[in-house]
Amino acid sequence: MTQLRTVQVLGGGGAGSGAHVRSLAAGLVARGVRVTVCAPAELDRAHDFPGAGAYFVPVPPRGDPLSVGALRAVCSGADVVHAHGLNAAVRSALALAAQRVPLVVTWHSRPHGEGVRGQLLRLMERRAVRAAAVVLATSPELVDRARRRGARDARLGPVALPPPRDSADPPGEKERAELGAVSRPLVVTAGPLEPYRGHGTLLDASRRWLGHDPVPLVAVAGEGSRRAALQRRVDAEGLPVRLLGRRDDVTALLAAADVAVLAGRWAARAPLAREALRLGVPLVATAVGGVPELVGDAAELVPYGDSVRLASAVAGLLTDPARHAALAAAGPRQAAAWPTEEQTIAQVLSVYDELCAPGGGPGPRRGA
C-alpha cells in the first residue's frame, strides 16, 4: 500500500480553523498519512504546522490566477484535498477544476452579509459545496444549509477542541489584576467586533448593571469594523466595558471570568462557548444555530438581541451562588460528551478512505 497524500487548505479564517487543522495534521501524520498544509504564512506562525509533522506551503487567501496556480501545483500530487472554510473551498474548487482529485470541505461557520455581499456569499457557498465530494458541516443547521445549496453528500462533522495547554500560573489571577477586576465581578466575551456578534446588545445589558454594587466589568477581546463605534458608545455612556483588542490569551481571560457571554446572531462551533464550558465558567449564550445542542443544560440561553433577558441572566448568575456553582459543574460534564480529537481524526480518515477506495477514487492508500 502506498502512502495517502492529503492537502489541507486554509484561507484567512479564524484561529479555530487553524487549531483544528493543526490537530488534524498531527493525528493524520501519526497514522502514516502525508499531510501538506497550504495557508497564509501568518497562520503557520500561529500554529506551527511543520511542528505537527506536516509540510507547509505558504499560499495567500486570494483567488487571483497566481495564487490559484500555486495551489493547483501543490494539489496535483494529492489523493484528497481538504478545504476548511468558504474561502479555501472556493479556491480549492478552482485549483482542482481540471484534476480528478476529490475535494472534502469542512464548513466551520456560516458567513454573514447583506445585499450584494450576501448574494456573493450564497454564490460562493453553492460553488463550494457542489464541487465537494463530501461536505463535513460542524452543526446540523449547516448540514441542512449545504444540502439546500446543492451538496451531493453533506454530513455532520463535529470538530474537537485541542486539549488545553498547561500553565504554571494560577488560573485567572494575573488577568483579573491586569483588568482591575480583583474585587468586582468579571464578565468576558471574545470574537470579531462585527454587527452579527451582538456586542451592541451586550453594551445595552451592561448599562443595566450600573446600579449593582460592585458594578461588573465587561471585558471584550477582539477586533473588527465596529471597534471605534463601540468605544465611542462606551465613553459617551460611561459603560463598565473594556475593549481589549486582539488577544492571544483568550483561554486565560475566560478562566478569570465569573461569567462568559456569547451574544451573537449565529454560531455553529462557538469556540468561546466550548472553551467556557470546558473550563467550568458559567455561560450565558444566545439560543441560535448549533449553540443549544452544543451546551445542552449547561448554560443559560437567551433570545438573540434581547438585552433585558441577557442582563437578567448574567445578573442572576452573579447573585445566585448555587446556580453559579451548578453551571460551573455542569460545563465540564457537557464538554466530556463532545467528540474527542481521536474521534474527529477517525471520522475524517474514514472519509478519505471512502473516497480513495476502489470505485471511489485512486485506490486504497495508507501508511508508508
Side-chain angles (χ1 to χ4, degrees):
M1 297 175 70
T2 57
Q3 187 177 32
L4 180 70
R5 300 159 299 174
T6 76
V7 175
Q8 308 288 320
V9 184
L10 274 162
S17 300
H20 169 58
V21 170
R22 212 281 186 184
S23 167
L24 183 59
L28 292 173
V29 169
R31 289 158 178 79
V33 178
R34 179 187 173 97
V35 179
T36 300
V37 177
C38 291
E42 58 267 23
L43 287 182
D44 182 52
R45 288 193 292 270
H47 299 288
D48 183 22
F49 299 115
Y55 299 89
F56 177 71
V57 179
V59 177
R62 300 192 300 264
D64 60 274
L66 187 61
S67 298
V68 172
L71 187 58
R72 180 181 296 116
V74 178
C75 293
S76 64
D79 297 306
V80 179
V81 173
H82 191 159
H84 299 264
L86 184 59
N87 173 288
V90 172
R91 290 186 298 114
S92 297
L94 291 171
L96 296 175
Q99 301 185 45
R100 295 187 61 192
V101 178
L103 173 64
V104 176
V105 171
T106 292
W107 201 342
H108 290 264
S109 63
R110 189 178 78 182
H112 295 272
E114 308 294 340
V116 174
R117 172 172 166 77
Q119 294 176 6
L120 176 60
L121 288 172
R122 287 190 289 274
L123 288 172
M124 292 175 66
E125 289 175 354
R126 285 196 287 271
R127 175 66 186 269
V129 302
R130 292 177 181 181
V134 176
V135 176
L136 297 174
T138 57
S139 74
E141 183 180 0
L142 283 178
V143 172
D144 293 340
R145 188 178 181 91
R147 289 170 178 164
R148 291 197 303 271
R149 295 289 187 260
R152 291 173 284 170
D153 186 342
R155 313 176 190 181
L156 186 63
V159 172
L161 282 175
R165 296 179 180 176
D166 294 330
S167 174
D169 297 326
E173 289 186 8
K174 177 171 68 72
E175 288 73 24
R176 290 187 76 99
E178 172 200 334
L179 295 172
V182 173
S183 58
R184 62 191 294 195
L186 177 62
V187 178
V188 170
T189 191
L193 303 185
E194 302 296 341
Y196 67 91
R197 295 304 294 248
H199 293 104
T201 302
L202 180 57
L203 264 58
D204 290 340
S206 74
R207 190 168 56 235
R208 294 178 172 273
W209 301 326
L210 288 171
H212 288 233
D213 184 19
V215 177
L217 174 66
V218 181
V220 182
E223 282 289 356
S225 65
R226 296 284 295 162
R227 171 70 184 263
L230 292 171
Q231 188 63 62
R232 285 194 297 270
R233 186 175 166 197
V234 169
D235 295 340
E237 300 179 28
L239 300 177
V241 176
R242 285 191 60 183
L243 304 183
L244 306 179
R246 185 173 288 107
R247 300 283 294 239
D248 58 7
D249 61 345
V250 171
T251 296
L253 289 172
L254 282 172
D258 296 289
V259 176
V261 171
L262 181 69
R265 184 170 68 204
W266 191 89
R269 294 175 58 205
L272 180 140
R274 293 159 66 99
E275 193 66 24
L277 265 62
R278 190 168 69 177
L279 290 168
V281 178
L283 172 71
V284 176
T286 44
V288 298
V291 173
E293 180 185 32
L294 177 72
V295 303
D297 296 326
E300 296 278 5
L301 295 176
V302 298
Y304 168 73
D306 190 332
S307 63
V308 175
R309 293 278 296 276
L310 177 60
S312 177
V314 172
L317 287 173
L318 294 177
T319 57
D320 184 345
R323 178 60 177 161
H324 189 279
L327 283 189
R333 288 198 300 269
Q334 179 72 10
W338 296 334
T340 64
E341 283 191 290
E342 181 74 21
Q343 291 168 331
T344 299
I345 294 163
Q347 182 194 25
V348 169
L349 193 53
S350 71
V351 171
Y352 295 172
D353 285 345
E354 177 184 329
L355 293 175
C356 293
R365 298 167 184 248
R366 184 83 65 83

